[in-house]
Amino acid sequence: MEYLGYFASIIIGISLGLIGGGGSILTIPILVYLFKVNPEQATSYSLFIVGLTALFGSYSHYKMGNLKLKSALYFAIPSVISILIIREVIFPQIASTLFSIASYSVSKDFLIMIIFSVLMITAAISMIRKSQPKIKAETNYIQLSIIGFVVGIITGFLGAGGGFLIIPALLFFANLPMKQAVGTSLLIITINSSIGFGGDLYIGTPINYPFLLGISAMALLGMIIGSQLSKKIDGTKLKPIFGWFVLVMGFYIITKEVLF
């Protein structure tokens, strides 16, 4: 299963390189089901893997002129605030076992995976839909910041970069073309994930660095592949295919967590 996990890690980078998101949607299930990492620790590992991969991807897009720093900062600053609140204040206070009904207990790990699977299904539906958003004439920085705060909550709780939410926000409220939205999304994911992982280090979260760097190396290989493919392939055409894949995985996680 580990060999499959390392191969699947390449897809994390390819997804980020091509469509500016989707990496964290894959990272959590790969860590939990293929590498047997517990869900809570997987959220920390996901922040590192996705953040490091997005860093290299954002540099590649910077060289291509696809970064819009002002929009990235308006989105990222409120995201960082909500990430720190969630991971350093709220998340550590959540009990390992939330409640019990008869002989059945609902754990924090179970809640993480169920919420994540619902998020996967929601993201998949948005990627499968053929309708394209209508781009506004001017950048709405207030709404962009509000959405950034919301995405930060998701990043903090689930260890998800939130690219599948960032891309539409940049298209709707920052008036960016798709290529620039992808590049700017990667920069925002880098900032969010770095702050989240740094906060985990501050509170003493145990980290297996050799394992983490191994997964990250495979994801970086995927990022290189994805960045090169993005020059030749329209990422929007790949979104529906990736969406169906994520949809199946979302339902698989729900089934596995509830029935097994």
Side-chain angles (χ1 to χ4, degrees):
M1 294 297 285
E2 287 191 1
Y3 290 109
L4 179 60
Y6 282 109
F7 175 77
S9 299
I10 298 176
I11 303 176
I12 295 171
I14 293 176
S15 171
L16 284 166
L18 272 176
I19 62 177
S24 54
I25 287 291
L26 296 174
T27 307
I28 296 290
I30 288 171
L31 290 171
V32 172
Y33 295 122
L34 298 183
F35 290 107
K36 308 303 179 183
V37 177
N38 75 73
E40 184 174 352
Q41 189 169 36
T43 64
S44 294
Y45 284 11
S46 174
L47 289 171
F48 180 89
I49 296 165
V50 174
L52 182 62
T53 308
L55 173 62
F56 280 82
S58 61
Y59 177 71
S60 175
H61 278 273
Y62 168 75
K63 292 192 294 183
M64 292 186 284
N66 288 337
L67 287 189
K68 291 298 179 181
L69 185 59
K70 184 177 181 180
S71 296
L73 291 178
Y74 267 91
F75 196 103
I77 291 174
S79 284
V80 165
I81 294 172
S82 55
I83 288 170
L84 292 176
I85 292 173
I86 294 295
R87 291 203 75 83
E88 315 315 319
V89 179
I90 297 177
F91 200 70
Q93 302 302 318
I94 301 176
S96 297
T97 300
L98 302 178
F99 59 88
S100 299
I101 301 176
S103 60
Y104 186 78
S105 296
V106 176
S107 66
K108 182 198 290 189
D109 289 347
F110 174 82
L111 180 64
I112 289 172
M113 296 309 298
I114 291 298
I115 293 177
F116 200 88
S117 61
V118 171
L119 196 63
M120 289 179 73
I121 292 169
T122 303
I125 292 173
S126 71
M127 286 186 280
I128 292 170
R129 291 175 60 185
K130 295 181 180 180
S131 59
Q132 297 295 323
K134 296 180 180 179
I135 299 175
K136 295 186 177 181
E138 298 180 358
T139 299
N140 191 325
Y141 289 112
I142 294 177
Q143 289 183 325
L144 194 63
S145 295
I146 293 173
I147 294 173
F149 188 85
V150 174
V151 171
I153 294 174
I154 295 171
T155 299
F157 186 71
L158 297 176
F164 57 91
L165 297 175
I166 296 172
I167 293 290
L170 294 174
L171 292 173
F172 274 113
F173 305 115
N175 192 30
L176 298 183
M178 186 63 190
K179 292 288 185 180
Q180 291 184 356
V182 170
T184 305
S185 170
L186 289 172
L187 178 59
I188 294 170
I189 291 171
T190 300
I191 296 171
N192 286 358
S193 299
S194 299
I195 294 296
F197 184 75
D200 286 0
L201 292 181
Y202 178 76
I203 62 175
T205 301
I207 304 295
N208 183 343
Y209 285 104
F211 168 75
L212 196 54
L213 291 174
I215 300 297
S216 299
M218 301 305 290
L220 286 173
L221 174 61
M223 170 60 76
I224 294 172
I225 297 171
S227 296
Q228 293 302 313
L229 289 176
S230 69
K231 299 176 182 178
K232 304 176 182 179
I233 303 175
D234 185 358
T236 56
K237 294 180 180 180
L238 296 176
K239 274 194 172 184
I241 298 174
F242 184 72
W244 282 108
F245 174 67
V246 172
L247 184 68
V248 171
M249 286 191 65
F251 280 111
Y252 169 78
I253 291 173
I254 289 180
T255 302
K256 182 174 178 60
E257 292 296 325
V258 173
L259 300 181
F260 298 99

